[in-house]
Amino acid sequence: MTNLYKSVPVRSSEITPKQVYLSRRDFMKAATVAASAALLAACAPSVTEMPQNAAPAPTSTATDELGNPVNTYEDITNYNNYYEFTTDKQGVAGLAKDFKTIPWTIEVGRLVNKPKTFGIDDLLKTFTQEERIYRLRCVEAWSMVIPWEGFTLANLLNMVEPTSEAKYVRFETVYRPDEMPGQKSPFYSWPYQEGLRLDEAMNDLTFLATGLYGEPNVPQNGTPIRLVVPWKYGFKSIKSIVKIELVAELPATLWNAIAPNEYGFYSNVNPDVDHPRWSQASERRIGELSRVPTLPFNGYGEQVASLYDGMDLNVNY
Ligand SMILES: Nc1nc2c(c(=O)[nH]1)N[C@H]1C(S)=C(S)[C@@H](COP(=O)(O)O)O[C@H]1N2
Ligand SMILES: [Mo]
């Protein structure tokens, strides 16, 4: 496997000061506070630098490590794939707006020494939340650059101590058909499930996101907790996780079960292997006019190509 594309994940905080991530909600809250003279002194300096009367529209000058600017908060939170709500990308935000993400628990178990059910607040307290700017490449050939917040999956897995029999990790999304209208559709086998090989799951790039742009409550993007595997097609990055299981056998996944010839278990981003119905050689970056070439492993080859040494990725797609 050749490593043509250099990339090193850079913490967004190293590039851009935190205030550019002021969320819409925090900004509005802060702006309200700023309007009150009595509390002005307690206000963060970053807020006073921002226009107090403009409509809050958080944008950022941050870029990923290849120099691609991050997408706007507006784009990231209004163009989503989340079939539990709807297959209409622009309809997810409205339908998910009141989805309850608190309280929330995640059960981590099976082939581990210390199975445990975590509350989302435990996870936020136990693991330092860091920022990661990652490209997200959907299998449908559109992409975005997203400033996530969260922590590496390996931190959580190490805490429960996988046994030597554990070879794969299986993830499951919440099942609440009364609140998620798409889960009434008989075409998909709910709940959404995904999987990784244990070494993929342990890679430092593999991330559990708890928010984006400094905003923890973005149900349309899969909060309170969703997986982000930036070198794989977006559907591997399962949202709203309630269960993580360490298992010995390769787990079934929702998309692979529907169309195994279109959606392989690995699904590493690969411009050389076309989807049976369209080319994967380039992608439409949301917010930009022209298409950009798709990079092997979505540009993360340096960190992950060795995971697949000796494997034919045209066969193990
Ligand atoms: N539970 C669940 N997770 C999911 C999906 C979904 O429909 N349900 N869609 C996937 C797909 S196809 C993509 S491209 C990404 C989109 O993430 P975003 O909406 O945060 O950009 O989420 C992935 N995770
Ligand atoms: Mo996707």
Side-chain angles (χ1 to χ4, degrees), residues 20-25 27-28 54-60 70-81 89-94 142-147 212-215 218 220-221 286-287:
V20 301
Y21 289 131
L22 261 190
S23 70
R24 169 177 298 255
R25 206 181 55 179
F27 173 72
M28 289 174 80
T59 51
S60 166
V70 298
N71 278 91
T72 63
Y73 179 84
E74 207 60 40
D75 280 346
I76 296 168
T77 58
N78 287 286
Y79 191 86
N80 303 102
N81 266 334
K89 285 184 245 301
Q90 271 137 324
V92 175
W142 56 267
S143 63
M144 293 205 201
V145 183
I146 304 181
L212 60 91
Y213 258 103
E215 166 63 71
V218 269
Q220 64 268 53
N221 293 89
I286 302 300

Side-chain angles (χ1 to χ4, degrees), residues 140-154:
E140 300 160 338
W142 56 267
S143 63
M144 293 205 201
V145 183
I146 304 181
W148 299 107
E149 312 215 331
F151 56 95
T152 52
L153 174 62

Side-chain angles (χ1 to χ4, degrees), residues 121-180:
D121 37 329
D122 302 334
L123 292 175
L124 293 172
K125 259 183 270 157
T126 308
F127 303 108
T128 310
Q129 306 295 299
E130 50 172 311
E131 298 165 301
R132 298 264 182 108
I133 297 179
Y134 280 159
R135 295 171 290 288
L136 176 103
R137 170 53 159 89
C138 177
V139 74
E140 300 160 338
W142 56 267
S143 63
M144 293 205 201
V145 183
I146 304 181
W148 299 107
E149 312 215 331
F151 56 95
T152 52
L153 174 62
N155 288 345
L156 178 61
L157 296 181
N158 287 332
M159 187 168 269
V160 297
E161 296 179 9
T163 68
S164 56
E165 289 103 83
K167 298 285 182 282
Y168 295 91
V169 187
R170 178 182 176 274
F171 304 84
E172 196 176 294
T173 293
V174 71
Y175 182 64
R176 289 197 212 155
D178 289 339
E179 296 164 56
M180 299 174 126

Side-chain angles (χ1 to χ4, degrees), residues 80-84 136 138 173 192 221 226 234-235 237 239:
N80 303 102
N81 266 334
Y82 203 165
Y83 279 28
E84 282 83 344
L136 176 103
C138 177
T173 293
Y192 199 106
N221 293 89
R226 64 88 58 85
F235 65 85
S237 294
K239 295 179 171 182

Side-chain angles (χ1 to χ4, degrees), residues 1-296:
M1 194 60 51
T2 50
N3 293 325
L4 291 174
Y5 297 92
K6 258 184 106 116
S7 66
V8 179
V10 179
R11 288 182 48 130
S12 56
S13 55
E14 288 170 10
I15 307 167
T16 314
K18 178 79 179 171
Q19 66 261 27
V20 301
Y21 289 131
L22 261 190
S23 70
R24 169 177 298 255
R25 206 181 55 179
D26 288 350
F27 173 72
M28 289 174 80
K29 223 192 299 162
T32 310
V33 171
S36 153
L39 291 173
L40 198 58
C43 199
S46 56
V47 171
T48 55
E49 284 158 29
M50 299 182 80
Q52 302 284 310
N53 53 356
T59 51
S60 166
T61 52
T63 66
D64 68 9
E65 80 289 358
L66 302 179
N68 301 295
V70 298
N71 278 91
T72 63
Y73 179 84
E74 207 60 40
D75 280 346
I76 296 168
T77 58
N78 287 286
Y79 191 86
N80 303 102
N81 266 334
Y82 203 165
Y83 279 28
E84 282 83 344
F85 289 99
T86 171
T87 56
D88 168 15
K89 285 184 245 301
Q90 271 137 324
V92 175
L95 288 170
K97 163 167 69 63
D98 298 322
F99 186 69
K100 278 193 68 180
T101 58
I102 294 171
W104 193 275
T105 53
I106 292 201
E107 195 187 323
V108 190
R110 299 274 288 270
L111 300 175
V112 299
N113 292 324
K114 298 181 171 167
K116 189 174 164 159
T117 298
F118 296 86
I120 187 65
D121 37 329
D122 302 334
L123 292 175
L124 293 172
K125 259 183 270 157
T126 308
F127 303 108
T128 310
Q129 306 295 299
E130 50 172 311
E131 298 165 301
R132 298 264 182 108
I133 297 179
Y134 280 159
R135 295 171 290 288
L136 176 103
R137 170 53 159 89
C138 177
V139 74
E140 300 160 338
W142 56 267
S143 63
M144 293 205 201
V145 183
I146 304 181
W148 299 107
E149 312 215 331
F151 56 95
T152 52
L153 174 62
N155 288 345
L156 178 61
L157 296 181
N158 287 332
M159 187 168 269
V160 297
E161 296 179 9
T163 68
S164 56
E165 289 103 83
K167 298 285 182 282
Y168 295 91
V169 187
R170 178 182 176 274
F171 304 84
E172 196 176 294
T173 293
V174 71
Y175 182 64
R176 289 197 212 155
D178 289 339
E179 296 164 56
M180 299 174 126
Q183 283 182 334
K184 296 213 162 95
S185 163
F187 298 109
Y188 304 94
S189 62
W190 309 110
Y192 199 106
Q193 44 179 334
E194 258 305 337
L196 295 172
R197 224 169 50 192
L198 184 57
D199 58 344
E200 297 178 317
M202 287 294 197
N203 189 276
D204 184 57
L205 289 178
T206 308
F207 202 61
L208 285 171
T210 55
L212 60 91
Y213 258 103
E215 166 63 71
N217 185 35
V218 269
Q220 64 268 53
N221 293 89
T223 63
I225 187 155
R226 64 88 58 85
L227 187 67
V228 186
V229 197
W231 72 95
K232 292 178 180 282
Y233 290 120
F235 65 85
K236 298 294 291 183
S237 294
I238 180 174
K239 295 179 171 182
S240 304
I241 299 166
V242 289
K243 198 184 270 187
I244 298 179
E245 296 179 324
L246 283 288
V247 294
E249 308 294 337
L250 191 143
T253 70
L254 180 137
W255 286 107
N256 184 252
I258 291 171
N261 62 320
E262 299 187 10
Y263 310 108
F265 176 80
Y266 286 96
S267 284
N268 295 315
V269 173
N270 188 346
D272 298 333
V273 175
D274 288 339
H275 187 278
R277 291 181 280 130
W278 58 84
S279 164
Q280 295 292 29
S282 70
E283 63 204 54
R284 182 169 64 93
R285 180 70 44 80
I286 302 300
E288 289 178 22
L289 294 175
S290 49
R291 297 179 74 85
V292 294
T294 289
L295 304 178

